[in-house]
Amino acid sequence: MISDVLTEWLKERFAAILPGMAAEVRERVQSAPATNMEFGDYQCNDAMTFAKQVKRPPRALAEEVAAGDARPDFIAELSVAGPGFLNIRLADSWLCAQLEALAADSRLGIPDRGNGRTVLLDYSSPNVAKPMHIGHIRSTIIGNALDRIHRALGYRVLADNHLGDWGTQFGILILGYRNFVDPAALRENPIAELERVYVKSYDCSRQDPAWLDRCREELVKLQAGDPDNRALWEQFVAYSMAEFDRVYRRLGVQFDLVRGESYYRDDLAGVVAELEAKGLARESEGATVVFLEEEKLPVCIVRKRDGAFNYATTDLATLASRVREFNPDQIIYVTDERQQLHFRQFFAVARRLGCTARVTHVWFGLMRLPEGTFSTRQGNVIKLERLLDEAETRALEVVKRGGSEAPPEVQQEIARVVGIGAVKYADLSQNPQTTVTFSWDKALALEGNSAPYLLYAYARIASVRDKYAERFPAGDLSRWPIRLTEPLERELAVRVLQFPEAVVRAADLCRPSAIADYLYDLAQTYSRFYQNVPFLKAEEGVRESRVRLCGLVADVLRRGLELLGIETLERI
RNA sequence: GCGCCUGUAGCUCAAUUGGAUAGAGCGUCAGCCUCCGAAGCUGAAGGUUGUGAGUUCGAUCCUCGCCAGGCGCACCA
């Protein structure tokens, strides 16, 4: 990566002029893309940071760094500006060589950061017997993007869908099912019917304590292995999986493991026993809890007063099982913001149990409606499948409005890719940690910073290649080197080479939006280039170089979108 | 009450975690298709970064106090 090459060189330079603090220099010196094109391509601000410590003027330090006579071949210009900024302009010849290397590299320069190390990703994790609604989309899409990004960086990724298939809701559901289910409706739409039954039974439990007691009994029977309740439970899980699989297929999401909470049900007692044996958990107010005073956190309950286990227990059992079986270096959980406290508690307990795997909670803001939060009981949920349908419908309207000549099934396919891509991109292109207020127009945006803008840029490049082949049938792109003659194409070249940095950043921050931001910037730069720099009309040599550069942009766009789980089309 | 998060152009969001003149899209206004795909491009207007202090060469970013909103806080997950 460009920044690595520059950083390494800068570290040596700083270490040479600050021999007393070489170790710290090697730790901290960084280079970053220039904030303003006029300054150069990259910059380094560390003369200012070190000046304080050595009590010397920052500008003098910077000048000393810049003064060395052995200027490496990748730097064309190195200058000092303002209080001590080091501005670097890269050499065109070196940029061209880097582009040639990128063109020959199937990884497009993405480094092998993982080196085979294992990352386990826990995401999506919907509850059985409830429909997937738009609140589930963020975990699924962000988690899947993190999955793809880590795989690209050479990690061994295990994506695990930790279904909510063993909670207290099953007592309510089983009793409701026995009393209210409509077999015809169940055949027609199982999940909708189960949802109706659940809501009705839930209402009963709120009004009638006796009903609630009977729900608890059903739950106890299920957990004790009662054959009838077990059969019902299996049926519910099967219905839900069918629906989930349908949605996942549409979203292009695949898991390596689908292990719901039920998978760990026999481990729960052992977790509590271990905590007690190690003196970490003790009885309090009838429950078994772990006190977390050092961390200044509330107590973590691992067994309720009624003897039942809860979420924290399940998570601890799950973690232990994962460590035993896969020994992951890192486990990433993707959930909404409401679970922050829970994860802080859970991680604290895990550490006390000696867990050394790096555990990360990636949380995202809740999805809301303009009128407030939505809930199953208020009946104002928007189902995920309906969102996807609507996305495809709107995209199809745009395709038709554009006067597409393509046959209907091709238009349908374009609408599918554009619509689903728009939904995903709307979520992935912004910082996950903000609350989002759902609106159809935003989720399905088809212009501006959106998937269709990127897909359009991509399709235009595919067209460029076709046009080139058509007009210059004897042309052979591979015979011509890449050259940089126009400022805009040079700018585009630098952007293309920054792709690996965007991927690394997205992984480091667990923020796929870093890639989305980068791709949008790349597509914008490309569009300006496309509009303002002639290439098929350029002279031979320049023409081939520019068509090849276009091809590299296309490769990066395709790969980048793929990392976000968004498909591309050659025609749109 | 305590904790976490958010507040940036009329609206939706960026700003590479302390860097230079805070950038995009939508919307508004003015231009660009006999031309490599106009789902595009060029330009204009639009800002006391919620607010008040502090830290330093330098603050949207760090510290403290306020204001507004969201989400949590012992037996749901």
Side-chain angles (χ1 to χ4, degrees), chain A residues 470-487:
Chain A
E470 190 181 299
R471 294 197 192 170
F472 307 97
D476 181 1
L477 293 175
S478 62
R479 282 181 47 237
W480 299 93
I482 290 179
R483 298 192 285 167
L484 301 173
T485 49
E486 283 284 325

Side-chain angles (χ1 to χ4, degrees), chain A residues 128-146:
Chain A
V128 161
K130 290 183 187 169
M132 286 183 88
H133 57 78
I134 55 173
H136 293 105
I137 200 172
R138 301 199 86 187
S139 175
T140 306
I141 289 177
I142 293 168
N144 186 245
L146 291 174

Side-chain angles (χ1 to χ4, degrees), chain A residues 221-279:
Chain A
K221 278 168 66 185
L222 170 66
Q223 296 189 336
D226 173 80
D228 291 346
N229 280 11
R230 182 58 65 88
L232 271 184
W233 173 79
E234 282 171 4
Q235 194 188 334
F236 299 154
V237 172
Y239 283 141
S240 280
M241 283 313 299
E243 164 162 316
F244 296 159
D245 284 343
R246 211 162 58 229
V247 172
Y248 291 139
R249 206 170 306 122
R250 285 182 81 177
L251 290 174
V253 169
Q254 285 182 315
F255 294 95
D256 303 289
L257 302 164
V258 181
R259 291 183 180 174
E261 292 163 353
S262 63
Y263 182 88
Y264 307 96
R265 62 189 174 229
D266 297 330
D267 300 346
L268 302 178
V271 167
V272 176
E274 185 187 355
L275 284 166
E276 285 174 323
K278 290 185 172 170

Side-chain angles (χ1 to χ4, degrees), chain A residues 525-544:
Chain A
T525 306
Y526 175 75
S527 292
R528 283 193 290 134
F529 168 75
Y530 177 85
Q531 206 86 24
N532 297 303
V533 179
F535 36 93
L536 290 185
K537 282 178 272 185
E539 63 184 271
E540 187 176 43
V542 173
R543 176 173 65 222
E544 280 69 18

Side-chain angles (χ1 to χ4, degrees), chain A residues 265-502:
Chain A
R265 62 189 174 229
D266 297 330
D267 300 346
L268 302 178
V271 167
V272 176
E274 185 187 355
L275 284 166
E276 285 174 323
K278 290 185 172 170
L280 298 172
R282 62 173 197 260
E283 186 277 334
S284 170
E285 296 177 30
T288 306
V289 307
V290 179
F291 283 90
L292 300 169
E293 276 148 357
E294 294 102 288
E295 290 90 346
K296 291 181 184 160
L297 292 171
V299 296
C300 180
I301 296 174
V302 292
R303 183 168 53 204
K304 300 191 282 184
R305 195 163 26 196
D306 65 6
F309 305 108
N310 63 2
Y311 191 36
T313 331
T314 306
D315 269 339
L316 288 165
T318 304
L319 175 64
S321 167
R322 287 168 172 170
V323 168
R324 258 196 319 273
E325 188 171 351
F326 305 112
N327 190 29
D329 295 273
Q330 186 180 13
I331 303 180
I332 300 174
Y333 300 83
V334 186
T335 82
D336 73 55
E337 61 182 319
R338 289 174 302 187
Q339 300 192 32
Q340 286 176 86
L341 177 58
H342 161 71
F343 276 99
R344 297 229 311 268
Q345 293 174 302
F346 158 48
F347 290 167
V349 176
R351 271 193 298 275
R352 291 185 188 193
L353 282 169
C355 170
T356 54
R358 189 174 150 211
V359 284
T360 309
H361 180 215
V362 175
W363 57 266
F364 53 87
L366 278 180
M367 179 94 77
R368 305 160 48 78
L369 293 174
E371 61 268 28
T373 50
F374 48 71
S375 72
T376 307
R377 269 172 292 134
Q378 284 174 36
N380 61 350
V381 299
I382 299 172
K383 291 176 65 174
L384 199 39
E385 290 193 288
R386 190 179 152 223
L387 172 68
L388 301 182
D389 290 343
E390 182 76 20
E392 293 185 23
T393 303
R394 290 199 185 200
L396 186 60
E397 280 167 20
V398 174
V399 171
K400 286 185 170 153
R401 212 182 311 138
S404 172
E405 309 262 313
E409 62 274 17
V410 174
Q411 291 187 9
Q412 195 61 249
E413 172 66 2
I414 293 169
R416 183 186 69 78
V417 172
V418 170
I420 302 292
V423 167
K424 288 189 173 188
Y425 191 85
D427 243 335
L428 292 171
S429 63
Q430 67 177 283
N431 182 344
Q433 298 187 338
T434 50
T435 308
V436 312
T437 301
F438 180 84
S439 84
W440 286 103
D441 286 340
K442 210 197 310 173
L444 306 178
L446 298 173
E447 49 193 349
N449 185 2
S450 67
Y453 179 86
L454 301 180
L455 294 175
Y456 179 67
Y458 179 79
R460 285 206 297 192
I461 299 174
S463 177
V464 165
R465 260 184 248 150
D466 292 350
K467 280 277 174 2
Y468 176 82
E470 190 181 299
R471 294 197 192 170
F472 307 97
D476 181 1
L477 293 175
S478 62
R479 282 181 47 237
W480 299 93
I482 290 179
R483 298 192 285 167
L484 301 173
T485 49
E486 283 284 325
L488 255 178
E489 77 181 330
R490 190 180 180 285
E491 191 183 335
L492 186 60
V494 173
R495 290 280 198 288
V496 164
L497 293 172
Q498 285 167 343
F499 176 55
E501 291 171 31

Side-chain angles (χ1 to χ4, degrees), chain A residues 188-202:
Chain A
E188 184 70 22
N189 188 340
I191 298 302
E193 177 60 8
L194 290 183
E195 186 193 3
R196 186 190 69 81
V197 161
Y198 174 82
V199 169
K200 192 160 178 184
S201 180
Y202 180 84

